[in-house]
Amino acid sequence: MQNVLKGKVALVTGGSRGLGAAIAEALAHQGADVAISYVASADKANLIVEKLKAKGVRAIAVQSDQADLSAAKPLIEAVVAHFGKLDILVNNAAIAVQGQTVDAPDLDTLNLDRQWQINVMGAVATTRAAAPVLSNGGRIIFIGSLMGSRVPFPGAADYAGTKAAIAGYARGVARDLGGRNITVNVVQPGVMPTDMATAVLGEGGAPDWLLDQHPIRRIATLEEVAATVCYLAGPNAGYITGSSIDMAGGMGV
């Protein structure tokens, strides 16, 4: 499978750490030139860029805050200016604000609203900016969450809502861009070993009560999720569009 994406240019938003970095490395391993966006950690982003270049591909990091909707167009323009085109967009950047139920007297509405801004409107803005310049036959892949269709614990209503919104939006974009043979899909992971999961679940990882809901009783690896993204980005997935693919060990069954 190595080099099946040779000659393609990919953008992974939020690609300086966690799942985004794993996706960027997996795309580069398959031969794609890769741009990543980051908000604040230039050092981490540059380290990822060096890892990507070590695989023999071109790579850049672009500072861009997805909470700022006006930053979407300059991000896309920077990628196209550097590489000459854009073939694959991975909308990965997101945050998770969880833990409070909607009736909490001290509900942190400010951060919940920011979550909607980043997870939904930021991804929408990036997609809108990318769609006119994306190559015919290109790929758009959203990183959703199993919680877009199933909420296994309280305190996650807004996060689940953002991911459900992304799944619906992706189906509409798939319809809009199908005439150009651009596929649009959502990968919906469950629990993964990321900073986001640690912030929600703590340092101990997934608790037994959560693992008990998985037929495959473990959490996903970042490499497994990244491999699914790479498959959807590749030549063998040209007839899959408008789909949401669960990567959650059967948790939703």
Side-chain angles (χ1 to χ4, degrees):
M1 293 294 290
Q2 195 167 357
N3 288 329
V4 295
L5 296 178
K6 188 173 179 60
K8 302 296 184 181
V9 173
L11 167 62
V12 182
T13 64
S16 66
R17 60 191 178 93
L19 178 60
I23 291 170
E25 291 188 47
L27 290 168
H29 184 70
Q30 293 194 8
D33 297 321
V34 181
I36 62 171
S37 70
Y38 69 98
V39 176
S41 182
D43 289 343
K44 286 184 178 179
N46 289 331
L47 282 174
I48 295 300
V49 166
E50 292 308 310
K51 285 185 178 181
L52 302 180
K53 288 181 176 178
K55 296 179 182 291
V57 304
R58 297 179 295 165
I60 59 168
V62 181
Q63 196 281 329
S64 183
D65 184 356
Q66 192 160 286
D68 178 5
L69 304 188
S70 68
K73 188 175 180 181
L75 169 62
I76 300 300
E77 288 175 342
V79 174
V80 174
H82 187 85
F83 294 109
K85 63 173 183 170
L86 177 63
D87 303 297
I88 301 161
L89 170 64
V90 182
N91 280 307
N92 167 75
I95 63 171
V97 181
Q98 300 177 27
Q100 289 184 302
T101 57
V102 295
D103 58 351
D106 60 343
L107 188 65
D108 187 358
T109 56
L110 186 63
N111 271 328
L112 290 172
D113 290 348
R114 181 171 178 267
Q115 179 176 237
W116 281 93
Q117 178 83 349
I118 294 172
N119 292 12
V120 179
M121 293 311 302
V124 167
T126 303
T127 302
R128 288 172 177 171
V133 301
L134 198 69
S135 301
N136 291 344
R139 305 284 191 262
I140 300 176
I141 302 157
F142 292 86
I143 303 302
S145 169
L146 182 70
M147 285 203 287
S149 55
R150 184 172 187 271
V151 185
F153 50 81
D158 283 83
Y159 179 75
T162 67
K163 295 305 185 178
I166 282 298
Y169 181 70
R171 289 192 293 271
V173 177
R175 181 68 74 177
D176 286 353
L177 301 182
R180 293 167 54 196
N181 289 321
I182 295 172
T183 68
V184 185
N185 295 289
V186 184
V187 175
Q188 298 193 148
V191 184
M192 297 177 290
T194 63
D195 293 342
M196 185 183 294
T198 299
V200 174
L201 299 172
E203 295 291 343
D208 285 342
W209 66 264
L210 187 56
L211 290 177
D212 287 343
Q213 298 184 48
H214 295 69
I216 300 176
R217 199 176 181 278
R218 63 173 177 83
I219 65 174
T221 68
L222 299 181
E223 291 75 19
E224 287 172 323
V225 180
T228 301
V229 172
C230 285
Y231 173 72
L232 291 173
N236 293 324
Y239 203 57
I240 301 173
T241 196
S243 294
S244 294
I245 300 175
D246 290 346
M247 284 287 297
M251 188 176 177
V253 301

